[in-house]
Amino acid sequence: MAFVDLGGLRCHVQRLGPQDAGPPAATVVLLHGLLTDSLASYYFTLAPALAAAGAEVLMYDQRGHGRSERPPTGYRLEHFVDDLEALLDRLELTGPLQLLGNSFGGTVAFALAARRPAQVAAILAIESEPATAAWAVKLDDILRRAETELVKKSTLAWVAAKRGPHTARLARSAGRLLAETALAREIPASRLPGEAELRAIGCPVLTVYGTRSDLAAQAAWLDGLLPDCRSVFVPGQEHSVLVEAPDVVRELALSWLREQGAELRGRPAVLGAAR
């Protein structure tokens, strides 16, 4: 376990080097989502496989999450991107970097690519989207409802009964995060990139959606917006593709890295197997 000071924010960081101690085939930055997510989602799914294939892996708990510091304010999207920039600068990771973001983590990845295009080689976004006006409205509704519901004993009991005690513990922690910080009000107030900024994201992008996810409907729009973007759909999955179908996402990620020129070790995967 390691902690890095990002200009006053104590950030929990984990790095995995290539398992065979050889030269890194790629540098992959893993970005997790909001509320119930943390770097643990990657530690038990993608990160070990990426390191075993020869990648250098960087993952960290975003502000307010996991073991990172939880300031009362500072939760607009640009603050999360500032943290990522500061971490990359502190660790002297200049690029080119492969960004892999789950849910809100993908939104952070898109925002960094718009801000520092030369540093981002490619993006793999799982159940994610860039920040837009529609995104802000949707997040405002989701976060306000979560702020109300996740402090109710009845809601937590329902989660425990339907999803199990582990998910209930994550929901309880998310409720505390929302109660102790301004996250629910600040995320929707984020600075939103304009359409021209998004269209300027020229790096290759692969988006992964569950076929039963609400986000799947936006795939055609995003494929048309970004100059080099395509989508893969995982049958029968909703928003929690990373956790519910880790084997599929793992094969997609490894194949995507190979497609970007990473000389990974081990058996090649076939991109598109989930279509």
Side-chain angles (χ1 to χ4, degrees):
M1 183 188 304
F3 290 91
V4 176
D5 183 1
L6 304 181
L9 180 81
R10 190 167 185 259
C11 181
H12 174 221
V13 179
Q14 292 281 359
R15 297 180 77 174
L16 298 179
Q19 205 170 76
D20 61 4
T27 300
V28 185
V29 182
L30 305 180
L31 301 160
H32 69 75
L34 285 174
L35 300 185
T36 59
D37 213 353
S38 70
L39 71 75
S41 294
Y42 289 118
Y43 197 86
F44 295 106
T45 55
L46 295 184
L50 293 173
E56 178 185 15
V57 180
L58 170 67
M59 49 189 163
Y60 67 101
D61 285 326
Q62 303 215 51
R63 58 173 53 222
H65 295 73
R67 297 178 181 273
S68 287
E69 191 174 356
R70 179 174 290 181
T73 61
Y75 291 92
R76 294 194 301 273
L77 173 60
E78 52 266 36
H79 295 130
F80 289 91
V81 182
D82 290 344
D83 291 342
L84 177 53
E85 281 191 318
L87 179 60
L88 296 176
D89 291 346
R90 179 71 181 272
L91 299 179
E92 298 183 345
L93 295 175
T94 58
L97 304 171
Q98 307 282 343
L99 303 184
L100 197 158
N102 182 48
S103 193
F104 179 74
T107 306
V108 174
F110 286 122
L112 182 71
R115 189 186 290 187
R116 287 189 175 186
Q119 197 167 9
V120 180
I123 296 172
L124 195 161
I126 306 165
E127 278 291 310
S128 185
E129 59 190 315
T132 62
W135 170 87
V137 170
K138 179 172 62 178
L139 266 290
D140 183 50
D141 179 61
I142 291 172
L143 293 171
R144 286 183 183 276
R145 284 190 287 112
E147 193 175 30
T148 300
E149 293 296 323
L150 293 183
V151 295
K152 294 181 179 178
K153 291 183 179 179
S154 58
T155 299
L156 296 172
W158 181 91
V159 173
K162 296 293 185 180
R163 303 291 185 181
H166 174 67
T167 303
R169 285 193 294 272
L170 294 177
R172 188 176 295 108
S173 177
R176 289 196 297 269
L177 171 60
L178 291 169
E180 295 170 4
T181 72
L183 185 148
R185 290 166 294 284
E186 292 192 7
I187 288 283
S190 299
R191 179 199 171 275
L192 303 176
E195 184 173 310
E197 289 178 81
L198 295 178
R199 288 189 181 278
I201 298 175
C203 67
V205 175
L206 178 70
T207 55
V208 178
Y209 303 104
T211 55
R212 297 173 58 192
S213 167
D214 293 342
L215 284 177
Q218 71 154 20
W221 165 77
L222 193 57
D223 289 353
L225 176 72
L226 302 179
D228 187 359
C229 178
R230 73 181 191 276
S231 301
V232 172
F233 302 89
V234 183
Q237 293 298 319
E238 297 180 346
H239 188 62
S240 299
V241 173
L242 176 62
V243 174
E244 300 293 336
D247 292 343
V248 174
V249 176
R250 188 181 306 120
E251 292 302 298
L252 288 171
L254 291 171
S255 184
W256 174 245
L257 290 173
R258 285 190 171 92
E259 187 176 312
Q260 302 316 308
E263 296 183 1
L264 300 181
R265 276 79 93 177
R267 179 182 61 84
V270 179
L271 185 62
R275 290 180 185 273

